Amino acid sequence: MRRILILAEYDGTGFAGLQRQRTGLRTVQGELEGALARIGAIPKAVAAGRTDAGVHALAMPFHVDLPGRIPTERIPEALNRLLPEDLKVLRAQEVAQDFHARKDALWRAYRYRVLLRPHPSPLLRHRALWLRHPLDLEAMEEALPLLLGRHNFLGFAKEEVREGTRELLEARLERVEGEAGPELRFYFRGKSFLRGQVRGMVGTLLEVGLGKRPPESLKAILETADRRLAGPSAPAQGLYFLEAAYPREKLLP
């Protein structure tokens, strides 16, 4: 029995989220586990995190257990023959027997895309949030550092029952020229995130950019953990899970 780390890319538009749910709901985990069973693997895939309905991933790590002798480098091809067009495996790597995709992650990173142009894009309607109004980038850049470090982030989360203290290692934004026009892209990297935390932070930062609140208002949200003080959650379609990092000793050569 080998433990394998696989990296999956998916378009979250057609999924009810990553995590397996009640019968009848299509999920990333459900589709992946169905394919694993057909190549002789244990039909259980453990992810580095979770994403809600409509959220995408560029390289979501999962660990799976695989008996038999199928070469590790052939696992992506074997799975991709069975997986749907909106979910594919990019890479497979053997890892230590005690490797855990969620518990061993050193950090995780997310991106949020905002399309800034006068009219919406039919091509990006499931890929980015569209805004026609100009944003005050200086005000948002003033607010971003307030999120760094260890805080109680429950004020930005949703439907969260866990303890709210998390550490945000990096928070930045950049303006780029995307395929449909100018975009603003938020980047967040942290050890772990609460459910809905990134979308809550983006929604609040956009209110800063639109002049609806001052940058320093984020301090009160972090101090009180009161969700009512924050802005609305940004829509799911602009959010992407980017990657996670792991200790080298857990990854076999």
Side-chain angles (χ1 to χ4, degrees):
M1 184 76 69
R2 292 170 292 157
R3 179 149 290 185
I4 305 294
L5 167 65
I6 62 175
L7 299 181
E9 180 180 27
Y10 55 86
D11 175 349
T13 306
F15 291 103
L18 181 148
Q19 198 167 32
R20 190 192 315 106
Q21 300 179 47
R22 67 180 184 273
T23 303
L25 288 180
R26 183 172 183 260
T27 65
V28 174
Q29 187 181 31
E31 293 281 1
L32 182 57
E33 290 179 346
L36 286 168
R38 293 177 64 185
I39 68 166
I42 305 299
K44 180 180 180 182
V46 179
R50 59 184 296 171
T51 55
D52 291 334
V55 176
H56 317 294
L58 299 185
M60 174 64 76
F62 292 84
H63 79 249
V64 303
D65 290 324
L66 180 67
R69 297 183 178 180
I70 178 173
T72 302
E73 65 271 14
R74 294 188 59 188
I75 293 173
E77 181 181 356
L79 287 171
N80 286 339
R81 290 197 192 105
L82 304 169
L83 290 169
E85 293 302 312
D86 52 1
L87 168 61
K88 296 298 178 184
V89 172
L90 305 176
R91 181 183 169 200
Q93 178 179 0
E94 190 168 350
V95 291
Q97 284 292 322
D98 62 348
F99 175 88
H100 196 283
R102 178 174 55 82
K103 296 178 181 179
D104 287 332
L106 299 173
W107 51 259
R108 300 159 176 84
Y110 287 87
R111 174 187 296 150
Y112 195 94
R113 297 173 62 185
V114 182
L115 176 66
L116 300 170
R117 71 180 204 180
H119 305 288
S121 167
L123 301 178
L124 294 186
R125 68 190 188 281
H126 299 308
R127 304 283 186 275
L129 169 65
W130 166 64
L131 286 181
R132 62 156 56 94
H133 304 291
L135 294 170
D136 185 340
L137 300 188
E138 290 186 4
M140 287 190 288
E141 287 174 342
E142 182 182 340
L144 276 170
L146 301 176
L147 298 170
L148 294 174
R150 288 184 65 82
H151 303 284
N152 186 334
F153 285 97
L154 281 175
F156 295 104
K158 70 169 187 177
E159 300 175 6
E160 183 59 78
V161 296
R162 295 173 294 172
E163 194 274 330
T165 300
R166 296 292 186 274
E167 183 175 8
L168 191 61
L169 302 171
E170 190 173 356
R172 55 182 167 84
L173 60 83
E174 58 181 351
R175 183 152 182 167
V176 301
E177 190 63 32
E179 64 266 36
E183 290 185 25
L184 188 66
R185 295 184 179 178
F186 293 88
Y187 175 86
F188 299 100
R189 183 171 65 89
K191 293 188 175 181
S192 63
F193 292 84
L194 300 172
R195 184 172 185 182
Q197 178 186 333
V198 174
R199 290 166 59 191
M201 292 190 299
V202 170
T204 305
L205 288 164
L206 290 176
E207 286 195 338
V208 172
L210 291 168
K212 295 181 178 180
R213 64 168 63 233
E216 60 269 20
S217 66
L218 275 67
K219 293 180 182 178
I221 302 168
L222 295 171
E223 291 168 358
T224 64
D226 187 345
R227 186 66 182 87
R228 296 170 296 180
L229 299 182
S233 294
Q237 75 267 21
L239 183 58
Y240 296 73
F241 180 97
L242 290 184
E243 59 180 338
Y246 294 96
R248 289 186 179 180
E249 61 270 19
K250 294 281 187 175
L251 308 175
L252 301 185

